[in-house]
Amino acid sequence: AAGVIQSPRHLIKEKRETATLKCYPIPRHDTVYWYQQGPGQDPQFLISFYEKMQSDKGSIPDRFSAQQFSDYHSELNMSSLELGDSALYFCASSLEKGMAFFGQGTRLTVV
Amino acid sequence: DAKTTQPPSMDCAEGRAANLPCNHSTISGNEYVYWYRQIHSQGPQYIIHGLKNNETNEMASLIITEDRKSSTLILPHATLRDTAVYYCIVRAYTGNQFYFGTGTSLTVIP
């Protein structure tokens, strides 16, 4: 069965650079969620989209933005990167309000 | 969404049942209980969810108390591959977010 695809799997950026993470949800899923997980921490909810509209907003910094496109894939844009942004970033998708399925994550390292 | 409380860590002998408790005393009527697990930096994996009835699937069983203020996830025959952090999440069916708490780190011992 198709799963949530995230790209890239690993990314290394320098401070003050920008990064774009991509998420391809399970086909026919209409909701996408983004999470950030720092070293030794639990996943923190950032933002979600339902039918291409922002749905809920969590602890997403102002330097980050995200959108969901017409094909339902989503991108998380991160600007002015800081060392503290180094983390695993997970995307999840669900159909309507059902259970969410997570991708394998993107490991972002800011140096 | 209601807050959940889980023990930080538990051990379980291989082949025995693992019973992971979760308190969610402020749960409201339209909130479901979800369980996910995360195996070392992999994406969280859905296990099971329920509203008020006990649920069972191929991975686990979920027992929800009658007052819905607590629940227990049961892995009937734990294997070494079940070593993971288990998260209990309470989420309204209308919500578009899952808030992870601190979870229980389960170690299955040979």
Side-chain angles (χ1 to χ4, degrees), chain B residues 44-77:
Chain B
Q45 177 188 22
Y46 166 81
I47 301 173
I48 198 167
H49 76 285
L51 183 61
K52 50 184 171 181
N53 297 322
N54 298 338
E55 302 288 344
T56 296
N57 63 20
E58 64 277 4
M59 289 182 68
S61 295
L62 174 61
I63 308 298
I64 302 174
T65 58
E66 191 168 347
D67 63 7
R68 304 211 320 122
K69 293 185 177 181
S70 66
S71 61
T72 301
L73 178 74
I74 301 173
L75 307 178
H77 306 286

Side-chain angles (χ1 to χ4, degrees), chain B residues 26-54:
Chain B
T26 59
I27 193 170
S28 58
N30 68 342
E31 289 182 317
Y32 284 71
V33 180
Y34 284 79
W35 283 84
Y36 281 79
R37 72 181 182 184
Q38 187 175 28
I39 298 172
H40 187 58
S41 297
Q42 295 181 19
Q45 177 188 22
Y46 166 81
I47 301 173
I48 198 167
H49 76 285
L51 183 61
K52 50 184 171 181
N53 297 322
N54 298 338

Side-chain angles (χ1 to χ4, degrees), chain A residues 31 33 35 37 42-43 45 48 50 55-56 88 90 97-100 102-104 107, chain B residues 34 36 38 41-44 46 49 87 91 93-102:
Chain A
T31 305
Y33 316 76
Y35 288 82
Q37 186 173 28
D42 303 300
F45 171 71
S48 63
Y50 169 67
S55 176
D56 289 273
L88 274 167
F90 290 107
K97 311 296 183 179
M99 72 283 285
F102 284 76
Q104 288 306 300
R107 182 176 294 279
Chain B
Y34 284 79
Y36 281 79
Q38 187 175 28
S41 297
Q42 295 181 19
Y46 166 81
H49 76 285
Y87 294 98
R91 176 209 189 194
Y93 196 66
T94 55
N96 275 333
Q97 74 287 103
F98 286 86
Y99 284 103
F100 288 79
T102 54

Side-chain angles (χ1 to χ4, degrees), chain A:
Chain A
V4 177
I5 304 298
Q6 292 188 244
S7 68
R9 292 295 309 277
H10 302 273
L11 188 60
I12 299 175
K13 290 286 186 178
E14 295 187 355
K15 283 193 305 183
R16 293 179 290 277
E17 284 193 316
T18 61
T20 297
L21 309 185
K22 296 185 179 183
C23 171
Y24 297 87
I26 292 172
R28 292 182 296 280
H29 279 194
D30 52 20
T31 305
V32 167
Y33 316 76
W34 285 97
Y35 288 82
Q36 177 191 59
Q37 186 173 28
Q41 298 181 0
D42 303 300
Q44 297 295 313
F45 171 71
L46 293 178
I47 196 168
S48 63
F49 292 86
Y50 169 67
E51 282 292 345
K52 294 157 277 185
M53 299 289 290
Q54 182 181 306
S55 176
D56 289 273
K57 201 169 183 180
S59 52
I60 184 169
D62 291 341
R63 297 178 290 108
F64 294 6
S65 64
Q67 57 182 324
Q68 187 179 29
F69 293 86
S70 58
D71 64 352
Y72 292 94
H73 94 272
S74 178
E75 295 183 2
L76 177 66
N77 298 293
M78 311 159 69
S79 63
S80 303
L81 287 169
E82 302 172 356
L83 295 179
D85 296 328
S86 295
L88 274 167
Y89 290 84
F90 290 107
C91 170
S93 74
S94 69
L95 176 61
E96 295 180 308
K97 311 296 183 179
M99 72 283 285
F101 295 91
F102 284 76
Q104 288 306 300
T106 294
R107 182 176 294 279
L108 172 66
T109 302
V110 181
V111 298

